[in-house]
Amino acid sequence: MSTDRIPVMIPWLGEAEAKAASDAVLSGWVAQGPRVAAFERAFAERVGAEHGIAVSSCTTALHLSLVALGVGPGDEVVVPSLSFIATANAVRYVGAEPVFADVEAATGNLTTATVDAARTARTKAVLIVHQGGVPADVHTLRAACADWDLPLVEDAACAIGSTVGGKPVGHGALVAAWSFHPRKVVTTGEGGMITTDDAQWAARLRRLREHGMNASAAERHASSKPVLESYLEVGYNYRMTDVQAAIGLVQLEKLDAMIVRRRELAARYDELLHDVAGLTPVRDPAHGQSNFQSYWVLLDEDFPLGRDDLLAALAEAGVSARRGIMASHLEPAYRGHPCGPLPVTERLSRDSLILPLFHTMTEAQQDRVVAALREQARR
């Protein structure tokens, strides 16, 4: 077994992020403050949105988005089962029920047809995911949701830097939720963001993340007179810290270089794997470009090993691959939850795996990953 293990990913963090975090600490303002506000502005500008609302995670971003839409008990929200379980859980947080829709095999994303097959008279919203950074066909989905009179929430956790029709994912979204977990392209350690073009929603979302207060701590601090805040509704403690935002601002400056490098590595995987029988790599869809937050391959039925055995073989060769996207409806938390047939979801979840991809990955490391895959394909 190789002792030089190739990780599935490494966040791109360095001295600039360390200095930014240190400067925030030394400033004496470490809670939500001026750096959070600067990060919100920079992030919103990057994705082409009018407003950014920084929060503690993408999960809390999804939760607040559904609260703002008035989704609650008795309602249903169409979601993909093929997603990290937080997507479905956020629907449960507001007392509504997730209705699992199938996805298309090529992208792992919901389509108009799969959403239409799952919606009912109780459907209050549709929650799509740009899975693994592969952009969903939002222009078609937005038009369909407008015809159905349903709001469309975009789970863009993995999709910063991906594009649809030449525009950033998030551009023109009613509301989009983002993640800055270390597995994502831009990271703040933990953290999330909501983007929207609606000023009234943005104002309410800022209140909701801070216990429903009508004046933030930063606003009270900036005032020369005492500010007696009011709590306008039941809210939450979903704030981001200035230390995290300081790191995020540096990360945003690196984003273009990150995307270029990830797409270079994905293109090289495509070239090296094109003649390996039994593997179907993820590709850019016709309607956009992926940031390749994840590079996954789907095993054909005639591949010599099953997915789990292949993961074990790669681990033995020093390659840290991961299973593909989970199917939430198959997890114990959703055991017994009613859903229709989801054949594509179950196939992708069962037979796909994510290969290592990170900005410092060398050609030699990538060659080792491919060589290990080739060895198992020849079995």
Side-chain angles (χ1 to χ4, degrees), residues 244-301:
Q244 292 170 294
I247 295 170
L249 284 164
V250 177
Q251 287 273 287
L252 275 182
E253 293 176 0
K254 295 180 174 180
L255 180 57
D256 287 337
M258 291 188 210
I259 301 304
V260 168
R261 181 59 179 151
R262 298 185 81 87
R263 289 187 60 80
E264 287 175 350
L265 289 166
R268 190 165 188 270
Y269 264 137
D270 289 347
E271 180 182 351
L272 295 173
L273 295 172
H274 81 277
D275 62 344
V276 179
L279 292 181
T280 303
V282 62
R283 307 279 195 212
D284 280 332
H287 55 263
Q289 288 188 332
S290 175
N291 62 6
F292 288 103
Q293 185 269 339
S294 293
Y295 185 95
W296 74 76
V297 294
L298 179 64
L299 304 183
D300 297 345
E301 293 181 0

Side-chain angles (χ1 to χ4, degrees), residues 141-378:
L141 283 159
R142 288 172 187 170
C145 284
D147 288 342
W148 300 326
D149 196 24
L150 293 173
L152 181 67
V153 179
E154 298 183 30
D155 182 339
C158 299
I160 180 62
S162 299
T163 63
V164 180
K167 299 289 187 180
V169 165
H171 182 272
L174 177 69
V175 62
W178 309 81
S179 173
F180 306 126
H181 182 272
R183 283 286 302 273
K184 306 305 187 288
V185 176
V186 167
T187 183
T188 61
E190 287 284 358
M193 187 77 71
I194 308 168
T195 55
T196 181
D197 290 339
D198 191 301
Q200 290 186 330
W201 279 16
R204 186 180 179 215
L205 288 164
R206 290 195 174 96
R207 291 196 303 268
L208 284 169
R209 71 174 172 190
E210 198 166 7
H211 300 288
M213 275 193 291
N214 67 340
S216 70
E219 291 168 338
R220 298 197 308 274
H221 180 77
S223 175
S224 61
K225 298 179 181 179
V227 176
L228 302 179
E229 74 276 9
S230 297
Y231 298 82
L232 305 183
E233 59 183 311
V234 174
Y236 309 88
N237 184 2
Y238 285 171
R239 291 168 292 195
M240 176 182 280
T241 69
D242 256 28
V243 178
Q244 292 170 294
I247 295 170
L249 284 164
V250 177
Q251 287 273 287
L252 275 182
E253 293 176 0
K254 295 180 174 180
L255 180 57
D256 287 337
M258 291 188 210
I259 301 304
V260 168
R261 181 59 179 151
R262 298 185 81 87
R263 289 187 60 80
E264 287 175 350
L265 289 166
R268 190 165 188 270
Y269 264 137
D270 289 347
E271 180 182 351
L272 295 173
L273 295 172
H274 81 277
D275 62 344
V276 179
L279 292 181
T280 303
V282 62
R283 307 279 195 212
D284 280 332
H287 55 263
Q289 288 188 332
S290 175
N291 62 6
F292 288 103
Q293 185 269 339
S294 293
Y295 185 95
W296 74 76
V297 294
L298 179 64
L299 304 183
D300 297 345
E301 293 181 0
D302 58 353
F303 196 82
L305 280 75
R307 192 272 312 279
D308 293 352
D309 288 338
L310 178 57
L311 286 174
L314 292 175
E316 185 66 22
V319 175
S320 295
R322 294 288 185 271
R323 71 170 182 170
I325 310 303
M326 66 186 294
S328 298
H329 76 285
L330 299 179
E331 293 298 316
Y334 286 91
R335 184 173 292 131
H337 185 77
C339 68
L342 303 170
V344 179
T345 294
E346 293 180 6
R347 168 84 201 290
L348 289 174
S349 182
R350 181 186 66 240
D351 296 333
S352 65
L353 66 155
I354 296 169
L355 301 183
L357 194 154
F358 46 94
H359 83 283
T360 56
M361 190 176 203
T362 65
E363 289 189 0
Q365 288 175 316
Q366 202 169 24
D367 289 344
R368 275 184 52 200
V369 175
V370 173
L373 281 169
R374 284 184 177 278
E375 181 180 353
Q376 299 308 317
R378 289 193 297 265

Side-chain angles (χ1 to χ4, degrees), residues 36-108:
V36 168
F39 185 40
E40 289 173 334
R41 291 191 296 270
F43 190 90
E45 182 179 358
R46 176 66 203 218
V47 304
E50 292 294 323
H51 306 280
I53 302 93
V55 289
S56 54
S57 70
C58 187
T59 308
T60 58
L62 289 170
H63 180 200
L64 291 187
S65 297
L66 294 173
V67 171
L69 286 170
V71 179
D75 295 331
E76 294 177 347
V77 179
V78 175
V79 302
S81 171
L82 192 80
S83 181
F84 184 59
I85 202 166
T87 305
N89 285 350
V91 178
R92 284 267 179 93
Y93 293 168
V94 295
E97 288 299 320
V99 176
F100 293 122
D102 212 356
V103 296
E104 64 177 0
T107 66

